[in-house]
């Protein structure tokens, strides 16, 4: 575990992470306890653990940052656990913590997502992944296309998880004709 300054924390804005606030006492006990809870809940698989955990002080609270890089948790379960345990642990995603405490809205800094016409297409998830990947490659985003496909393959537990991941990379749109018809109808 490494102690970091708030400036170092801000530099980690592009990393995924889970922040726990108000951690008192022995911090290693906190880390061990969180690993046990997440393993018992099936969020971390056997042998999987957060390799990088940081501690920092902000607004009189000792906080822990569990760096997500190199960790492959069940993200759906982790998201549900974080929400359920928010009151107990003050858990927040790193990007939400940075936005709330430092006004660092990371969505404003992201690359513009290309429009991708998925509405009205064959809903087979592999078809939708292929369309989104081609759209990304056509827009000079081949690395993002590969990353999207890998994330879906490794982390998506359902059809809707896969759609959520696709939506992180492209703006899901429908055919222009439908949009024009809606406008003509006053919608």
């Amino acid at each position: 575990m490494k102690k970091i300054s708030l400036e170092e924390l801000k530099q980690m804005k592009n990393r995924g992470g889970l922040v726990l606030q108000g951690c008192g006492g022995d911090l290693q006990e906190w880390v061990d306890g969180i690993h046990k809870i997440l393993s018992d809940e099936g969020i971390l698989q056997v042998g999987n653990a957060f390799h990088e955990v940081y501690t920092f002080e902000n607004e009189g609270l000792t906080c822990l940052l569990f760096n997500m890089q190199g960790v492959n948790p069940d993200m759906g379960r982790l998201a549900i656990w974080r929400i359920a345990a928010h009151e107990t642990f003050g858990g927040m995603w790193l990007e939400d913590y940075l936005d709330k405490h430092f006004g660092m809205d990371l969505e404003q800094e992201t690359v513009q997502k290309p429009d991708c016409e998925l509405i009205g297409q064959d809903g087979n998830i592999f078809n939708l992944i292929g369309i989104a990947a081609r759209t990304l490659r056509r827009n000079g985003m081949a690395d993002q296309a590969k990353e999207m496909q890998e994330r879906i393959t490794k982390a998506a537990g359902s059809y809707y998880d896969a759609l959520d991941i696709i939506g992180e990379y492209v703006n899901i749109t429908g055919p222009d004709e439908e949009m024009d018809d809606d406008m003509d109808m006053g919608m």
Side-chain angles (χ1 to χ4, degrees):
M1 183 175 352
K2 179 183 176 189
K3 185 169 180 131
I4 59 172
S5 69
L6 294 179
E7 287 308 311
E8 289 172 304
L9 177 70
K10 292 175 188 177
Q11 296 304 312
M12 296 180 173
K13 64 184 178 185
N14 294 323
R15 295 185 185 186
L18 174 66
V19 176
L20 300 183
Q21 304 173 73
C23 304
D26 184 346
L27 295 179
Q28 189 58 52
E29 285 183 17
W30 275 89
V31 172
D32 295 342
I34 294 299
H35 276 120
K36 179 169 179 8
I37 290 170
L38 296 180
S39 294
D40 291 349
E41 294 285 332
I43 296 166
L44 291 176
Q45 300 304 314
V46 175
N48 198 359
F50 293 96
H51 306 288
E52 294 180 13
V53 180
Y54 302 96
T55 180
F56 63 93
E57 302 283 330
N58 189 30
E59 299 176 358
L61 296 175
T62 299
C63 302
L64 290 173
L65 167 60
F66 292 82
N67 185 350
M68 301 293 271
Q69 290 183 331
V71 182
N72 191 19
D74 181 323
M75 287 303 291
R77 286 185 180 188
L78 180 59
I80 292 168
W81 177 85
R82 184 198 58 78
I83 292 167
H86 177 74
E87 223 174 282
T88 305
F89 299 112
M92 299 178 81
W93 298 126
L94 175 59
E95 58 264 9
D96 294 335
Y97 186 87
L98 292 172
D99 184 30
K100 179 180 179 185
H101 292 277
F102 306 108
M104 296 175 68
D105 186 358
L106 301 182
E107 288 190 23
Q108 292 178 355
E109 299 176 19
T110 58
V111 175
Q112 183 69 26
K113 297 187 293 186
D115 289 342
C116 180
E117 188 179 313
L118 293 180
I119 298 170
Q121 300 292 331
D122 173 354
N124 178 294
I125 196 62
F126 297 105
N127 181 53
L128 299 177
I129 293 167
I131 293 169
R134 280 190 299 279
T135 299
L136 289 167
R137 285 192 294 273
R138 268 190 250 119
N139 283 277
M141 302 172 79
D143 291 342
Q144 288 86 342
K146 182 178 178 186
E147 178 183 291
M148 177 193 69
Q149 290 171 309
E150 288 174 358
R151 283 186 58 207
I152 291 170
T153 303
K154 291 179 183 176
S158 72
Y159 182 84
Y160 298 104
D161 290 343
L163 287 177
D164 285 342
I165 293 171
I166 290 171
E168 291 177 29
Y169 291 86
V170 298
N171 291 318
I172 298 173
T173 64
D176 289 336
E177 303 83 44
E178 287 183 14
M179 290 171 43
D180 292 339
D181 290 343
D182 288 347
M183 290 178 150
D184 293 339
M185 300 169 102
M187 296 183 163

